[in-house]
Amino acid sequence: EVQLVESGGGLVQAGGSLRLSCAASGFTFDDYAIGWFRQAPGKEREGVSCILSSDGSTYSADSVKGRFTISSDSAENTVYLQMNSLKPEDTAVYYCAAAWAPTSLSLPGSSCGTPDYWGQGTQVTVSS
C-alpha cells in the first residue's frame, strides 16, 4: 500500500520558518520525484519543490527559490521541506506528492511532473 504521510504544518508569523516532512512507503523511493504541491483558497494547485533522490536533483518554483530548501533521506524514505522567510502568500494546504521520474530534474524544462501518488495535505498559515 502506497502511503505519503505529511507532518510539520502549522501557524507562523511572516518571516518565520517551518519544516515539513513526508514519509513515503509502498513504492521505490529513489525512482520518484517526491516533493510538495500547494493549493491556496480560490487558486489552482501548484508545484512548489521536489527532489529525485537517485541523483539528488531538485526543482523549485521561482516563488520559493532562495527561501525553501528541499532534501531527502533515502535511508528513512523521507523528504523534508525547510521553509524560511515565510510570507502570507505562502498560506495554503501543502500536499506531498510523488511522480515517477525517468530523467533528472536538473534537465532544462523539468518540473515536479504529474504525481502518481498524493498525501492528505497539511495546512500552512502565515500571518502578517
Side-chain angles (χ1 to χ4, degrees), residues 66-125:
R67 301 188 298 123
F68 292 9
T69 302
I70 194 164
S71 62
S72 68
D73 183 339
S74 292
E76 297 292 329
N77 281 7
T78 300
V79 172
Y80 303 96
L81 184 67
Q82 179 66 42
M83 305 186 294
N84 298 328
S85 301
L86 282 160
K87 304 175 181 179
E89 51 263 44
D90 294 318
T91 295
V93 178
Y94 284 69
Y95 297 90
C96 182
W100 185 66
T103 58
S104 175
L105 297 179
S106 63
L107 295 176
S110 294
S111 70
C112 293
T114 301
D116 300 286
Y117 310 117
W118 291 92
Q120 290 191 331
T122 185
Q123 177 71 44
V124 171
T125 303

